[in-house]
């Protein structure tokens, strides 16, 4: 793991931006994208830049089950708002939360992952160590699946879900194996509330209890942290 600690999230996001710019310069075109708080500055930097994504493809990690693109709580909506409205991509893919036929949706997404092998997979980390919505206990061999959100996750997403009559209990998510298949992984974690998960991911044993700990076994993972998120690290 290549661990880089920055004074603040602006500098860490800037580094993520540089890595994506270098990838584009090298003609890498398939980017696994994520959502949430962590990439907001990074997306701002992308959309305010002159980077050209018209030949690139974006393949998102996950989507809430039951939420369609018109719903402002969906990750479709999030990606439009933060990136796609401003930057044209060749193709963009996100699991379809409105497809209630699980086999059909999972097969569709697995085919997309096979057709567009990711050069880079962007990741955040949950306070419980989840990556994508692979919650503690998830098999390291998992591929795209419907996952039940952990209580902790529903708790931390409370603000995000505000306004929904019933917060989603499930999400479609790339599996851990799907994530590990990417050539390079770039994980962003900011803030003191992430410090324990970050320590467990980097310095703890590789265990299903901390899904992100599997990244220790990935040959090309870059972890970009602000100072608070790194504060429990020993070295
Ligand atoms: C988002 C995702 C999640 C988040 C994680 C951290 O697509 O898959 O794993 O990356 O929950 O979320 P934030 O950045 O909001 O703290």
């Amino acid at each position: 793991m290549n661990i880089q600690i920055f004074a603040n999230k602006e500098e860490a996001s800037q580094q993520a931006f540089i890595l994506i710019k270098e990838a584009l310069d090298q003609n890498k075109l398939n980017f696994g994208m994520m959502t949430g708080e962590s990439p907001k500055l990074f997306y701002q930097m992308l959309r305010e830049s002159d980077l050209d994504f018209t030949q690139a493809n974006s393949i998102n990690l996950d989507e809430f089950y039951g939420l369609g693109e018109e719903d402002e709580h969906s990750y479709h909506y999030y990606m439009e708002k933060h990136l796609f409205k401003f930057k044209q991509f060749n193709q963009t893919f996100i699991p379809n939360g409105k497809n209630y036929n699980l086999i059909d949706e999972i097969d569709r997404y697995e085919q997309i992952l096979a057709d567009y092998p990711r050069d880079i997979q962007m990741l955040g980390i949950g306070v419980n160590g989840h990556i994508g919505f692979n919650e503690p206990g998830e098999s390291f061999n998992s591929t795209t699946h419907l996952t039940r959100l952990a209580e902790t996750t529903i708790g931390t997403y409370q603000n995000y879900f505000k306004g929904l009559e019933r917060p989603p209990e499930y999400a479609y998510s790339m599996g851990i194996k799907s994530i590990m298949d990417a050539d390079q992984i770039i994980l962003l974690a900011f803030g003191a509330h992430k410090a324990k998960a970050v320590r467990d991911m980097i310095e703890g044993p590789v265990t299903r209890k901390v899904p992100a700990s599997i990244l220790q076994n990935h040959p090309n993972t870059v972890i970009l942290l602000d100072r608070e998120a790194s504060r429990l690290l020993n070295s």
Side-chain angles (χ1 to χ4, degrees):
M1 281 175 154
N2 171 351
I3 296 146
Q4 302 181 23
I5 301 167
F6 296 86
N8 52 49
K9 62 182 175 184
E10 285 77 9
E11 286 180 21
S13 304
Q14 181 65 30
Q15 179 62 12
F17 173 85
I18 290 169
L19 292 173
I20 296 294
K21 182 178 180 327
E22 286 173 357
L24 274 173
D25 288 345
Q26 292 162 24
N27 230 4
K28 294 183 177 164
L29 293 175
N30 294 329
F31 298 99
M33 293 299 197
M34 56 146 160
T35 51
E37 284 302 313
S38 310
K40 280 187 175 167
L41 272 173
F42 163 69
Y43 285 145
Q44 184 185 340
M45 291 170 187
L46 290 186
R47 63 180 187 253
E48 289 175 356
S49 75
D50 57 3
L51 294 191
D52 179 3
F53 286 97
T54 51
Q55 304 300 313
N57 303 303
S58 147
I59 307 112
N60 263 76
L61 266 177
D62 39 25
E63 177 60 287
F64 296 114
Y65 187 65
L67 301 190
E69 54 193 271
E70 71 297 340
D71 192 310
E72 64 184 54
H73 301 90
S74 73
Y75 282 162
H76 271 84
Y77 194 96
Y78 174 106
M79 289 306 294
E80 277 300 319
K81 175 173 165 191
H82 291 280
L83 189 60
F84 299 154
K85 228 171 38 181
F86 306 91
K87 283 284 171 194
Q88 199 198 328
F89 279 70
N90 178 39
Q91 298 211 71
T92 61
F93 303 102
I94 307 182
N96 178 3
K98 281 283 201 191
N99 188 351
Y100 300 117
N101 181 332
L102 306 194
I103 293 176
D104 179 64
E105 184 55 19
I106 288 166
D107 283 355
R108 184 185 77 87
Y109 218 65
E110 279 300 301
Q111 192 57 52
I112 290 168
L113 297 182
D115 292 345
Y116 299 89
R118 281 145 295 141
D119 296 296
I120 292 183
Q121 176 64 57
M122 300 296 303
L123 288 181
I125 182 171
V127 292
N128 64 358
H130 75 206
I131 45 175
F133 282 125
N134 294 284
E135 303 284 20
E138 184 63 54
S139 160
F140 287 153
N141 288 321
S142 62
T143 50
T144 304
H145 60 292
L146 188 77
T147 174
R148 186 179 189 130
L149 302 175
E151 285 303 321
T152 338
T153 301
I154 293 174
T156 49
Y157 275 71
Q158 224 167 9
N159 262 340
Y160 185 78
F161 290 151
K162 236 182 225 153
L164 276 174
E165 221 166 273
R166 280 189 57 202
E169 282 176 58
Y170 296 90
Y172 283 117
S173 178
M174 283 187 201
I176 295 182
K177 181 177 177 305
S178 336
I179 290 171
M180 293 292 279
D181 280 345
D183 279 356
Q184 182 177 43
I185 290 175
I186 300 174
L187 184 144
L188 306 179
F190 308 137
H193 63 301
K194 295 288 174 77
K196 183 178 178 308
V198 165
R199 182 193 57 198
D200 291 349
M201 162 176 69
I202 296 173
E203 293 178 350
V206 175
T207 164
R208 281 162 60 154
K209 290 185 196 151
V210 182
S213 64
I214 191 66
L215 300 177
Q216 292 177 31
N217 292 348
H218 192 282
N220 190 357
T221 295
V222 181
I223 311 274
L224 305 177
L225 306 173
D226 69 357
R227 208 158 270 148
E228 282 96 64
S230 75
R231 70 179 189 174
L232 294 177
L233 293 176
N234 284 321
S235 41

